[in-house]
Amino acid sequence: MFSRCKQLGAKVGFYLAAFLFVSLCASNAQAGAYEAQLPADLHTAKDMCAILPCTAVFPGAKSFSERLGSPPYVEAYGEPLPDGKKPLLGYVMLSTDITDTPAYSGKPVVTLIGMDKTGHFVGTQVLKHSEPILLLGIPESALLKFNAQYLGKSVADKIEIGQSRPDEGVLGLDAISGATVTVIAQNQVMLASGQAVARQVGILAPTVREPANYAVKGQVFTWAQLLKLGAVQTLRVKPEQVGLERNAEPFIELWFGDLNHPDVGTSLLGAHSWQKLHAQLKPGEHAFFVVRSAGNESFKGSGFVRGGLYDRVQVKQGADSFTFRDLDYLNLYGLEAAGAPSFSESAIFIIRSKSFSAAHPWKLAFLGNRVDRATGTRSFTSFDAKIWLDDSLLASGRPALQEDAAPWVQVWKTRAVEIALFITLLVMVTVVYAFREKLTRLSTHKNKWPVNAFKYSAWALSIGFVGSNALAQPSITQVLTWFHSLLFQWTWSLFLTDPFIFVFWIFIILTVFLFGRGLFCGWMCPFGSLSEAIYKVGEKIGLKRFQGHLPIAWHNRLKWVKYGVFFGLLTVSMFSMGLAEILAEVEPFKTTFLVGITNRAWPYGLFVCLILGTSLFIERPYCKYICPLGAALAMPSTFRWFGLKRKQDCNSCKACAVGCGSLAIDAAGRIDHRECLHCLDCMILYTDTKGCPPLSKERKRRERDGLLITPIGRDGYYIPIESVAMPMMSAKVANGPDPRMPTDPVAPAHKAGAKGLVWLWQELVDHLWPWSRENWKNQQALQIAGFSLALAASLAWVLAGTGRLSQSAIIGWWFGWSVYEVLIRLAGKRYVKDGPWWQANYRRASVMDMLSYVGFKNLLIGAVMFLGLKTMGLLL
């Protein structure tokens, strides 16, 4: 009856969890500003407030001007006075008109900002963001609340994320838990935008950069020398970067450079032309040239015809940006420097601001729109190239600059102590686990504290420090991000932005290949630790009689659900990462640690409570049956180097299997390391002379016969004594399966006796060539079809890497080839290795073994192809 109740409870819980999951996904599907579509002319429209909600960020304003200044802003006016004049109330600016500081996603948060005449922020509104953490786990309202902290603060204030420090004049802002990088970047955006406009309108003193003091030697330079000296630079935009078909011809190729330096200007224009240009420049003005050497796109655009504004190019220096009107333009008729490229469009632009200095680095930005080929939507984008004159061209050399560190650098610096403690914790846990055999030999089935003292301490630190304080709960979304990065585009800064997760993943990757998923899942996963701690608490408060496992038949069915969830999320992510992130709410981690149950809608909280409530009666139900992260880590666990020990008698003794909380030990005594969570109870029994039935039987025999009780050897038996005849194990045990191997051993005939280079060659062929001679003879049509599929899949990978095939197409080819390879290997090469690759412990592969092997191997091959294409410069 109890078994039936548990079975019914499992069914009800599963369907209720599914209902709650659908409910919470539906409640989270509406993300207002996430990847919102903005007007195509957002950055060029004169009347910005006609297309943007300026009144929302400047309450009380009745009207707004057109875009003014450089960088652009608009003026906000109040009710007209009796004389018809409109009183100026303040200013409204668009953050991406001023700075493109990237946030966690690598893209800027597009923010509309209101500032009054005294330089105080009066309103903000996020128009668009690409932050997955604000879509998943953290509500968008958290960013809105963060931005609200700026209201009433001045652009002249020294504002930082963290605690206020009045003695240093620092105003602190409360960060968003779990979104540190986003808020650091947003703080840079708010201050840079407000200060840039405040300097223009006189609220703050303008930026003063020391003018360039040129070193003039009367030397004439060639084009190659000018390029080496940093006096000229190129900006190249490829067609695929703006959503067009890949082509050898660039979308546009620009060359630009300094014209104020006498030697450089004379080399480029000739002595007469440079002197004529120099005569037209007023003190403090600066000239530079731009030419188009390739591509059909114009860098001048058409805006200067309509209103005198060149809307395709800008110059940026620090937080300042400079735009150009028709009065800032001069004709450029030719370049005199030897080796200069031919060009089809040219211009000389004049920067008329004293805040610009050629002694400092500056950028030329080309502005335009990118078309999403999948949806047809257009989005504003910019491409820039940096230029900085060489030391030898400046009398005093390059000035020393102190630029704001990247957001991820700031995070590592500000949390250095916590990061060091976290690394120390991970190292200690790894070392303790590496010496697990010493701890298990000190333990018995009645006294497990030599092991549990460390394990329970790891749980407590994982829940309290790692999960609740550092918010370092790994997630399946990170696995998907790694997968995408390996296949398509690797960006280190994306992973360095969260130091705890970055360090944690190094630990996870290393330990998964050394020991399997169990060390992380069983000892260091914050949610897993919380789940099992609740189970232990339930045992102590009198619920032990209600605790137990699902029937083994149900367990063997439900344990595959997590793999289905993982592969489902992986597939969805290839078509829509945003949708995959929503569906990844099947993980309760974010509600539990990152945001908190009380800060989320009721389906999220109920979903977590259901899982943790079930954990009172069933040990780690989420880890066993649902967790996609556990499934992702289980696959490489198939090839862990070190496993838990087994002895031959384990194939008939059920003691470990009965006590296994993970149900990872089968009837033959074999451990499935994909399911094992490394509680180490079986390792304790392995050397427990009173708890292990075979050892207990032998101990009693020795005590009865008055024989010496020797220590337990590494093989799990008493160390034999030569003069004492040891009893032979039963024929049933001796002839049964070997529990030390997850499946039956296999000896590939073609590798028999192979050594050295021959063995390495056969090893390589084994991984890359799934066909066998036997199958080639019997199933030639299928073999030839698969060979063709392999060539097509490889070609598809190359086409995707070079921008000629979509991500969904490449994953389709990759998936199709992998399924075929699994089938063909199961038919002809049904074996995998157990342990390190350089050993020859081959065993028969189960279907899951082969899926794990083929899937992981092909992912690594794809990563190698990606790196190869990138090295050759063929990737986007």
Side-chain angles (χ1 to χ4, degrees):
M1 175 63 74
F2 177 57
S3 177
R4 290 184 179 179
C5 288
K6 283 199 297 181
Q7 184 172 330
L8 179 61
K11 288 183 178 180
V12 172
F14 180 79
Y15 289 120
L16 181 56
F19 168 74
L20 290 174
F21 174 58
V22 171
S23 299
L24 63 86
C25 284
S27 68
N28 201 37
Q30 302 294 327
Y34 181 75
E35 293 293 4
Q37 187 172 349
L38 300 177
D41 60 344
L42 176 64
H43 294 272
T44 57
K46 289 184 178 181
D47 192 357
M48 183 181 77
C49 293
I51 58 176
L52 294 180
C54 293
T55 54
V57 299
F58 209 112
K62 302 303 179 182
S63 61
F64 300 90
S65 70
E66 293 184 345
R67 271 188 166 107
L68 306 169
S70 176
Y73 62 91
V74 300
E75 294 180 338
Y77 305 116
E79 289 283 0
L81 299 174
D83 59 2
K85 292 183 179 181
K86 298 179 180 179
L88 176 65
L89 301 181
Y91 313 92
V92 175
M93 66 215 75
L94 183 64
S95 63
T96 45
D97 276 345
I98 301 166
T99 178
D100 55 359
T101 301
Y104 180 82
S105 63
K107 300 178 182 179
V109 176
V110 184
T111 310
L112 195 63
I113 305 167
M115 179 179 71
D116 66 18
K117 291 191 299 181
T118 63
H120 290 80
F121 294 108
V122 296
T124 68
Q125 181 167 331
V126 175
L127 303 178
K128 178 181 179 180
H129 72 84
S130 303
E131 304 299 277
I133 54 175
L134 297 181
L135 172 71
L136 182 66
I138 301 176
E140 273 189 2
S141 59
L143 181 58
L144 303 182
K145 290 179 181 178
F146 171 79
N147 283 345
Q149 296 179 88
Y150 288 94
L151 302 186
K153 292 181 173 61
S154 171
V155 293
D157 292 333
K158 189 175 182 181
I159 302 174
E160 294 181 3
I161 306 302
Q163 295 293 324
S164 295
R165 302 193 300 277
D167 54 326
E168 300 178 29
V170 174
L171 294 178
L173 297 180
D174 294 330
I176 303 173
S177 296
T180 308
V181 174
T182 299
V183 298
I184 288 177
Q186 186 68 355
N187 187 51
Q188 292 181 358
V189 166
M190 292 291 294
L191 294 179
S193 300
Q195 290 170 1
V197 173
R199 289 190 183 97
Q200 282 193 72
V201 299
I203 298 174
L204 296 178
T207 302
V208 177
R209 295 183 179 91
E210 185 179 348
N213 183 14
Y214 297 119
V216 182
K217 301 177 182 178
Q219 185 176 355
V220 177
F221 301 105
T222 65
W223 184 265
Q225 290 173 322
L226 291 170
L227 184 60
K228 185 177 181 180
L229 291 170
V232 296
Q233 186 56 269
T234 183
L235 171 58
R236 183 183 177 93
V237 180
K238 300 177 182 179
E240 57 268 24
Q241 291 177 287
V242 292
L244 302 178
E245 291 285 348
R246 184 182 181 89
N247 195 302
E249 180 72 12
F251 179 73
I252 191 170
E253 182 181 75
L254 302 177
W255 291 91
F256 63 100
D258 177 83
L259 287 177
N260 270 41
H261 191 292
D263 291 350
V264 173
T266 300
S267 300
L268 288 166
L269 302 180
H272 176 72
S273 296
W274 182 80
Q275 290 172 2
K276 183 178 178 181
L277 169 66
H278 191 66
Q280 299 180 59
L281 299 180
K282 297 177 181 178
E285 295 183 344
H286 191 93
F288 71 97
F289 78 93
V290 184
V291 298
R292 182 186 68 198
S293 58
N296 296 319
E297 189 70 14
S298 169
F299 68 80
K300 295 180 180 179
S302 57
F304 75 99
V305 176
R306 296 194 303 269
L309 179 69
Y310 290 87
D311 58 6
R312 295 288 182 87
V313 289
Q314 282 184 355
V315 164
K316 297 180 179 181
Q317 191 168 57
D320 299 318
S321 60
F322 309 94
T323 55
F324 308 100
R325 298 183 176 274
D326 49 0
L327 296 178
D328 304 320
Y329 166 86
L330 296 173
N331 289 320
L332 173 65
Y333 297 106
L335 292 172
E336 297 294 325
S342 58
F343 53 85
S344 54
E345 188 176 40
S346 61
I348 295 175
F349 290 112
I350 312 297
I351 302 174
R352 306 186 190 277
S353 172
K354 294 183 179 180
S355 64
F356 179 87
S357 171
H360 293 249
W362 53 279
K363 297 177 181 178
L364 177 71
F366 175 77
L367 314 177
N369 287 294
R370 185 185 188 280
V371 179
D372 188 317
R373 294 171 62 184
T375 63
T377 57
R378 299 169 66 87
S379 58
F380 174 80
T381 188
S382 66
F383 307 91
D384 55 54
K386 179 180 176 181
I387 186 170
W388 196 1
L389 293 178
D390 189 75
D391 274 336
S392 62
L393 296 176
L394 300 168
S396 303
R398 287 177 170 178
L401 301 179
Q402 185 175 1
E403 298 181 353
D404 288 338
W408 69 266
V409 175
Q410 295 186 43
V411 174
W412 282 79
K413 287 181 177 179
T414 56
R415 307 196 70 178
V417 174
E418 293 171 274
I419 295 168
L421 291 173
F422 183 52
I423 293 173
T424 302
L425 170 62
L426 296 179
V427 171
M428 290 177 61
V429 169
T430 305
V431 171
V432 167
Y433 186 82
F435 290 95
R436 62 193 177 278
E437 189 172 347
K438 294 185 181 296
L439 295 177
T440 56
R441 284 177 176 268
L442 296 173
S443 306
T444 67
H445 69 292
K446 291 185 177 180
N447 178 24
K448 299 178 182 178
W449 276 104
V451 169
N452 288 347
F454 288 100
K455 185 168 62 175
Y456 292 171
S457 297
W459 287 359
L461 289 169
S462 178
I463 298 168
F465 172 59
V466 180
S468 301
N469 180 267
L471 306 177
Q473 169 67 67
S475 167
I476 189 60
T477 56
Q478 293 145 15
V479 175
L480 299 180
T481 302
W482 281 75
F483 184 84
H484 280 249
S485 297
L486 280 173
L487 263 62
F488 302 110
Q489 183 178 3
W490 184 271
T491 306
W492 274 110
S493 60
L494 177 63
F495 304 105
L496 290 168
T497 49
D498 192 327
F500 295 98
I501 291 295
F502 181 80
V503 170
F504 214 167
W505 270 107
I506 294 175
F507 165 83
I508 292 169
I509 292 170
L510 291 176
T511 57
V512 162
F513 279 102
L514 287 174
F515 311 117
R517 67 178 276 220
L519 181 54
F520 164 71
C521 292
W523 288 53
M524 288 304 297
C525 175
F527 190 83
S529 300
L530 178 62
S531 178
E532 188 157 1
I534 288 175
Y535 183 81
K536 298 296 184 184
V537 169
E539 180 181 307
K540 297 298 182 183
I541 62 176
L543 297 178
K544 186 173 183 178
R545 58 178 176 163
F546 300 109
Q547 294 178 327
H549 304 298
L550 293 181
I552 193 65
W554 268 94
H555 169 79
N556 287 335
R557 295 189 192 104
L558 291 177
K559 72 179 182 181
W560 300 109
V561 171
K562 60 180 176 287
Y563 296 99
V565 174
F566 167 62
F567 283 115
L569 289 173
L570 182 61
T571 302
V572 171
S573 73
M574 288 299 155
F575 298 92
S576 172
M577 192 65 180
L579 178 58
E581 287 162 348
I582 294 175
L583 295 176
E585 279 289 2
V586 71
E587 292 181 325
F589 308 152
K590 299 164 189 65
T591 303
T592 307
F593 296 107
L594 198 59
V595 184
I597 292 178
T598 58
N599 297 323
R600 305 204 70 184
W602 69 267
Y604 295 89
L606 190 55
F607 183 60
V608 171
C609 290
L610 175 66
I611 292 173
L612 295 180
T614 306
S615 299
L616 279 169
F617 307 99
I618 299 175
E619 189 173 343
R620 291 186 180 242
Y622 178 80
C623 306
K624 291 178 185 173
Y625 306 121
I626 303 175
C627 183
L629 177 61
L633 300 181
M635 295 179 69
S637 295
T638 301
F639 318 109
R640 81 280 170 277
W641 288 3
F642 305 105
L644 301 180
K645 292 190 173 181
R646 300 275 81 199
K647 53 187 137 189
Q648 188 65 27
D649 277 286
C650 291
N651 64 17
S652 61
C653 172
K654 311 298 181 185
C656 290
V658 170
C660 180
S662 303
L663 300 180
I665 304 177
D666 65 12
R670 290 167 163 166
I671 297 176
D672 184 350
H673 283 84
R674 286 185 294 267
E675 301 300 319
C676 177
L677 299 180
H678 292 201
C679 65
L680 298 184
D681 284 356
C682 62
M683 286 286 286
I684 292 173
L685 283 180
Y686 185 77
T687 55
D688 186 353
T689 58
K690 295 183 179 180
C692 175
L695 289 181
S696 178
K697 181 178 178 181
E698 175 62 12
R699 177 183 56 79
K700 291 177 181 178
R701 190 192 72 81
R702 291 193 175 207
E703 289 175 345
R704 185 188 68 234
D705 296 343
L707 301 175
L708 182 66
I709 303 297
T710 60
I712 306 300
R714 293 181 63 83
D715 62 355
Y717 294 102
Y718 284 98
I719 295 175
I721 302 174
E722 295 293 339
S723 60
V724 178
M726 298 292 294
M728 297 295 292
M729 63 180 66
S730 68
K732 179 180 178 182
V733 172
N735 297 327
D738 185 353
R740 290 165 291 192
M741 293 283 277
T743 54
D744 294 333
V746 171
H750 65 283
K751 290 191 174 181
K755 295 181 180 179
L757 294 177
V758 175
W759 184 88
L760 285 174
W761 170 252
Q762 291 183 346
E763 182 75 6
L764 180 64
V765 171
D766 233 14
H767 292 305
L768 299 180
W769 190 264
W771 300 277
S772 63
R773 292 181 180 178
E774 295 76 14
N775 277 359
W776 188 262
K777 294 177 181 178
N778 300 329
Q779 302 174 351
Q780 286 191 11
L782 182 61
Q783 305 293 332
I784 293 172
F787 188 69
S788 302
L789 182 62
L791 290 176
S794 300
L795 177 61
W797 204 283
V798 174
L799 291 175
T802 55
R804 301 179 187 180
L805 204 62
S806 67
Q807 293 185 4
S808 57
I810 182 57
I811 197 61
W813 279 105
W814 180 82
F815 180 78
W817 163 249
S818 297
V819 170
Y820 171 83
E821 186 176 356
V822 168
L823 296 175
I824 205 67
R825 284 185 180 274
L826 287 173
K829 288 187 173 181
R830 189 165 186 159
Y831 56 84
V832 293
K833 273 190 180 179
D834 195 67
W837 69 270
W838 57 84
Q839 296 181 359
N841 297 324
Y842 295 97
R843 61 181 177 84
R844 179 178 172 80
S846 66
V847 173
M848 193 60 206
D849 288 333
M850 194 59 75
L851 283 172
S852 299
Y853 164 70
V854 170
F856 193 74
K857 171 182 71 74
N858 287 351
L859 175 60
L860 292 182
I861 291 174
V864 170
M865 293 180 68
F866 162 79
L867 293 174
L869 290 169
K870 185 174 183 180
T871 301
M872 293 185 290
L874 298 176
L875 287 180
L876 301 186

